[in-house]
Amino acid sequence: MALTMHDVDRFEAARPRLEAIAYRLLGSASEAEDAVQETFLRWQAADVDRIEVPEAWLTKVLTNLCLNQLTSARARRETYVGQWLPEPLLAGDPMLGPADTAEQRESVSYAVLTLLERLSPNERAVYVLKEAFDYPHREIAEILDISEAASQQIFHRAKKHVAAGKARTEIDEAAVRRIVEEFLAAATSGKTEPLVKLLTSDAIAVGDGGGKVPARAKAFEGAVAVAKFMRGLFKPAPVKRALVGGSPAIHISTANGGPAILAVVDGRVVGVICLEIGADGIAAFRSQVNPDKLERATEVWAATEHGEPLFHAF
């Protein structure tokens, strides 16, 4: 049946929420857009007049499309070149979704999205729907075709897994900014010792180049190893400038609600380092340099105001 303009408007009203759900489930903005578009095609083919609660119907269709995608993604990621990290979203991107509560903000943080990769598809779906969108277990059970008790058990298990992998106490934004500035000053000093002092003893550094940009297949672990890597990362070298097409402008920004360092060349985001910072120091650096996962970041960057860079690297 052909959709009326009213039917199209109903879907478009739901689109932001559907995109936010899909992004949290898939960790990829482009895959989230594809899932939402496929949901629209299902909506277009349905007898919408017989759908009593459109929001519930659309959420069920989208979630199950994402579950199928997650199942196939696991097989694809086994052959992925190097480490796989989520696609970072910059501040102001509507796909980040609701951020009214601590749970909503945390559910889209880069650290948590990375942790969600460890969960089964069903665990991830229950966690996202409950933690980020406050769906009652009764509705989650209907969406996933499981019992309400099973939904509660899955959520408890998923939340426990995520909590076990999460880091330290949160600190205020001013302190975060100061730590990031201190890190950049130390990283460009050419010395390892100042960097080590800013890191937790079990700090890690991991990067995703997707086989298109060099990135180490195995994470660096421990403060000294991470400090040496970061010192080398910011060390000037012609080959680095050639690789990214110039001398990157370095900005302190926000990605997925947390502190991030952006490298920008001629308006193109060529790297996003998401930092995980706690009261004990910097616990993790997660660097996204796969150009396929930076296209949306470049679009958002071009559409928003940002100040002068701190410096130009390399």
Side-chain angles (χ1 to χ4, degrees), residues 15 41 58 72 84 156 183 229 238 241 281:
R15 183 184 289 274
L41 295 178
L58 291 170
S72 61
W84 188 98
H156 177 74
F183 161 74
F229 167 68
R241 291 193 293 272

Side-chain angles (χ1 to χ4, degrees), residues 186-199:
T188 54
S189 71
K191 300 178 181 178
T192 303
E193 293 79 8
L195 279 169
V196 173
K197 292 178 181 179
L198 294 171
L199 310 180

Side-chain angles (χ1 to χ4, degrees), residues 26-287:
L26 300 173
S28 164
S30 58
E31 290 181 4
E33 289 175 335
D34 290 344
V36 172
Q37 183 58 28
E38 180 60 31
T39 302
F40 175 74
L41 295 178
R42 303 285 180 93
W43 174 252
Q44 192 175 39
D47 184 354
V48 297
D49 291 335
R50 301 187 65 176
I51 297 174
E52 294 182 6
V53 186
E55 179 181 292
W57 188 91
L58 291 170
T59 303
K60 182 179 179 70
V61 170
L62 174 81
T63 301
N64 282 284
L65 286 169
C66 289
L67 287 175
N68 291 337
Q69 182 78 359
L70 283 171
T71 301
S72 61
R74 288 198 161 198
R76 291 201 312 276
R77 287 170 193 169
E78 288 178 1
T79 59
Y80 191 82
V81 179
Q83 298 278 345
W84 188 98
L85 289 174
E87 180 175 349
L89 297 184
L90 302 187
D93 193 316
M95 196 174 281
L96 288 168
D100 299 324
T101 67
E103 290 78 13
Q104 289 172 336
R105 292 189 294 273
E106 187 176 73
S107 71
V108 79
S109 72
Y110 208 68
V112 168
L113 284 181
T114 303
L115 288 170
L116 291 182
E117 287 294 308
R118 304 177 186 178
L119 305 183
S120 70
N122 261 22
E123 287 174 336
R124 187 163 183 163
V126 172
Y127 181 87
V128 166
L129 291 173
K130 180 62 180 173
E131 193 78 348
F133 296 91
D134 201 27
Y135 276 82
H137 284 292
R138 174 181 52 78
E139 292 184 24
I140 295 173
E142 292 174 358
I143 290 169
L144 298 177
D145 293 322
I146 58 178
S147 69
E148 188 171 346
S151 177
Q152 292 170 338
Q153 291 170 359
I154 291 171
F155 176 69
H156 177 74
R157 186 166 63 243
K159 192 167 184 177
K160 187 176 180 180
H161 286 322
V162 172
K166 280 190 315 190
R168 296 82 171 148
T169 309
E170 292 185 6
I171 57 177
D172 64 77
E173 290 185 15
V176 166
R177 173 86 186 192
R178 186 183 68 253
I179 291 170
V180 176
E181 289 176 344
E182 289 176 358
F183 161 74
L184 288 170
T188 54
S189 71
K191 300 178 181 178
T192 303
E193 293 79 8
L195 279 169
V196 173
K197 292 178 181 179
L198 294 171
L199 310 180
T200 61
S201 60
D202 58 350
I204 64 166
V206 58
D208 178 349
K212 299 186 177 183
V213 174
R216 193 168 185 260
K218 187 178 179 181
F220 290 91
E221 299 181 357
V224 174
V226 171
K228 289 180 178 179
F229 167 68
M230 286 297 169
R231 183 193 63 191
L233 181 66
F234 284 92
K235 186 177 181 180
V239 67
K240 295 178 184 177
R241 291 193 293 272
L243 182 65
V244 298
S247 182
I250 303 300
H251 294 262
I252 297 178
S253 187
T254 302
N256 293 76
I261 298 168
L262 267 61
V264 183
V265 176
D266 297 330
R268 176 172 53 92
V269 178
V270 297
V272 177
I273 303 177
C274 295
L275 289 78
E276 187 176 349
I277 302 175
D280 299 330
I282 305 173
F285 300 88
R286 297 182 176 92
S287 305

